[in-house]
Amino acid sequence: MDAPRGREAAALGLVVLAALLGLWLLVARPVAVAPAPVQPRTFASPEEAALWALVVERTGEAEQPRPFGGVGLPFPGEADGGPRLAMGREVWRTQCMHCHGFDGRADTPTADLLEPRPRDFSLGIVKYTSTEAGAPATRDDLVRTVRNGLDTTAMSAFRGLPEASLRTVVDYTAWLLVRGDLWTRARAALAEGLTPEAALDRAWEATLEDWRTAPDRVVAVPPAPRDAAALLEEGRRLWTDPRAGCADCHGADGRGRGPLVWDAVAERWLLRDAWGREARPRDLTTGNLHGGRTTPDLYRRIHAGVKGTPMTGRGELLEPREIHALVAWVRHLAER
Ligand code: HEC
Ligand code: HEC
C-alpha cells in the first residue's frame, strides 16, 4: 500500500515540477527573434509625410501587411493574401530580417558588413530579373533567387526552407517591393505638384498594372547560333564596340575599371546606382556571376541590364545574334 502511494506522490511531484518548469520556460524564455530596431523614416516635406501616411493606410505596416486591395496582389490569382502575408512575415523575421532589415530597407548592422550589400527593397527594384528593361520582377524570379541564392554572395540558397514557407516569404518580399515601387512613383508624382491623394491614386494604378503584367514581359531567348568559334570572335570584337559599350565600364580586359566608371587619377568610382551607392561593374574575370550563368541568364542580363545600376539593357541596340556573341565572350572571360 505504502509503496504505490509513494510512487504516486513522486509522480505528482514530477508533474508539478514539469508544470512549473513549463511555466518558467513560457515566461522566462528569451524571444526567438529580438525585435530589430526600426529606423525612423525621414521626409523631405510635410506633404511627403502625409503621402507616406496614405501609403500605410492602404497597404498596412511591415508588421501588419495588407494585400493590395482586391486585385489579388502581390501576384495575380492569389486572393486571400492576408493570412499568407502574415505567415510570410514570420518567415521573414527568422530568415531574412537580419540582413534585409525590419521593413526591407537593409539598414541592419549585418548589411553594413557585407559586400555586395543585401538588397534594399524600398525602391521596388531587384537587379536580376527575367523581364525586359523597365519591367519589375516576376514571382518566379523571386522564387528562384530565394531558392538558388545569388552565386558568390551572402544571399545563400534557401533550399532547406519548406515549400510553403518559401512561397509565403516570397509573397511578403513581393509586398515589400510593390509597396516600395508604389512609394517611389507616388513621391515622383508629388514632386510634379500633385496632392498626396492624387499622387497616390496615379501611382497605384501604374504600379499594380506593371507588377501584374510582368510575366508577359519576360525576355524571349532565341536558340544560340551554333558556329561557336565565329560567335566568340564576334563577341570579342563587340565587347569594345561603342554600340555595345561594355568595355567603357568593364574595361577592355573585363576587370571592371573602364574609363566611364573609374577615375584612375583620383582613384575613385564615378557612377552611382539607384540606391545612391558606388556602382562598381563586376570584374568578370573572377567568374562571379550573381544573376546566374546559364545562357538565358546572361542573355537576359545583357538584353535588360542589371536593374537599378548604370548598366542599362542593350536589347534595343543589338541583334539577338550579337547578344549571344557577347554571352559567349562573357563566358570566355569568366572561365579563363
Ligand atoms: C546573410 C544575409 C542575407 C540573408 C539572411 C538573406 N539575404 Fe537576400 N540578399 C543578400 C545579399 C547580399 C543580396 C544582394 C546580392 C547581390 O547584390 O548580388 C541579397 C539579395 C536579395 C534579393 C534581390 C535579388 C536581386 O535580383 O536583386 C532578394 C529578392 C532577396 N535577397 C531575398 C531574400 C529573402 C526572401 C531572404 C530570406 C528568406 C533573404 N534574402 C535572406 C543577403 C541576404
Ligand atoms: C554603364 C556601365 C556599364 C556598362 C556600359 C556595362 N556594364 Fe555590365 N555591369 C555594370 C555594373 C555596375 C555591374 C554590377 C552590378 C552590381 O553588382 O551591382 C555590371 C554587371 C555585369 C555582369 C554581371 C551580372 C551578374 O549576373 O552578376 C555582366 C555579365 C555584365 N555586366 C556584362 C556586360 C556586358 C556584356 C556589357 C555590354 C553589352 C556591359 N556589361 C555593359 C556596369 C556596366
Side-chain angles (χ1 to χ4, degrees):
M1 264 313 241
D2 264 353
R5 198 171 299 150
R7 253 193 304 225
E8 257 170 43
L12 192 70
L14 267 178
V15 168
V16 170
L17 244 167
L20 278 176
L21 186 74
L23 202 69
W24 178 78
L25 274 176
L26 213 66
V27 176
R29 189 174 53 112
V31 192
V33 183
V38 189
Q39 307 289 339
R41 285 183 180 260
T42 50
F43 301 103
S45 64
E47 288 74 29
E48 229 185 70
L51 179 62
W52 179 251
L54 288 176
V55 168
V56 168
E57 202 181 294
R58 278 211 207 171
T59 65
E61 304 267 17
E63 286 288 76
Q64 273 110 31
R66 208 175 301 143
F68 290 82
V71 288
L73 276 173
F75 290 92
E78 293 180 10
D80 191 28
R84 292 181 55 143
L85 282 180
M87 276 168 65
R89 172 69 190 167
E90 286 312 302
V91 182
W92 172 270
R93 287 176 70 92
T94 55
Q95 306 291 331
C96 322
M97 188 164 81
H98 60 285
C99 283
H100 289 285
F102 177 81
D103 56 0
R105 280 183 285 164
D107 48 359
T108 65
T110 311
D112 290 340
L113 299 173
L114 295 175
E115 180 56 49
R117 217 185 147 81
R119 194 75 66 249
D120 165 1
F121 297 136
S122 67
L123 302 180
I125 302 171
V126 290
K127 289 183 180 176
Y128 308 108
T129 73
S130 61
T131 51
E132 60 196 38
T138 66
R139 182 169 218 294
D140 288 349
D141 290 337
L142 300 177
V143 166
R144 204 179 79 136
T145 295
V146 179
R147 185 174 284 143
N148 299 349
L150 298 174
D151 204 20
T152 72
T153 80
M155 178 65 205
S156 48
F158 286 84
R159 288 212 180 82
L161 212 57
E163 188 61 27
S165 303
L166 188 131
R167 278 207 314 273
T168 55
V169 83
V170 163
D171 287 339
Y172 186 72
T173 306
W175 178 83
L176 287 171
L177 283 165
V178 175
R179 191 166 80 143
D181 195 356
L182 178 69
W183 170 236
T184 307
R185 294 194 212 207
R187 236 174 13 166
L190 191 72
E192 283 176 30
L194 268 65
T195 64
E197 287 79 7
L200 183 59
D201 282 340
R202 188 207 277 179
W204 184 264
E205 294 306 324
T207 307
L208 297 200
E209 181 62 13
D210 269 8
W211 285 83
R212 225 177 349 223
T213 54
D216 306 335
R217 298 172 69 188
V218 169
V219 174
V221 181
R226 299 204 160 251
D227 47 343
L231 198 65
L232 183 63
E233 203 37 49
E234 203 173 326
R236 180 204 305 278
R237 195 180 45 69
L238 267 170
W239 180 257
T240 48
D241 184 322
R243 222 157 47 86
C246 317
D248 293 343
C249 289
H250 291 275
D253 60 3
R255 288 185 187 278
R257 299 209 164 176
L260 206 60
V261 292
W262 177 246
D263 181 339
V265 179
E267 299 206 333
R268 62 183 187 96
W269 297 99
L270 299 168
L271 300 182
R272 296 201 168 250
D273 63 21
W275 295 269
R277 299 184 183 273
E278 283 170 353
R280 303 183 192 178
R282 195 73 41 69
D283 175 351
L284 294 173
T285 66
T286 60
N288 293 353
L289 295 167
H290 303 182
R293 52 181 63 245
T294 68
T295 297
D297 291 334
L298 290 170
Y299 187 97
R300 289 177 173 141
R301 208 62 57 238
I302 296 167
H303 191 288
V306 179
K307 291 171 181 171
T309 81
M311 177 162 156
T312 50
R314 294 294 189 272
E316 303 286 309
L317 297 168
L318 302 176
E319 296 298 322
R321 180 182 166 86
E322 295 176 308
I323 299 181
H324 270 302
L326 283 167
V327 169
W329 183 247
V330 165
R331 253 210 204 100
H332 172 81
L333 285 172
E335 284 161 12
R336 258 190 323 195

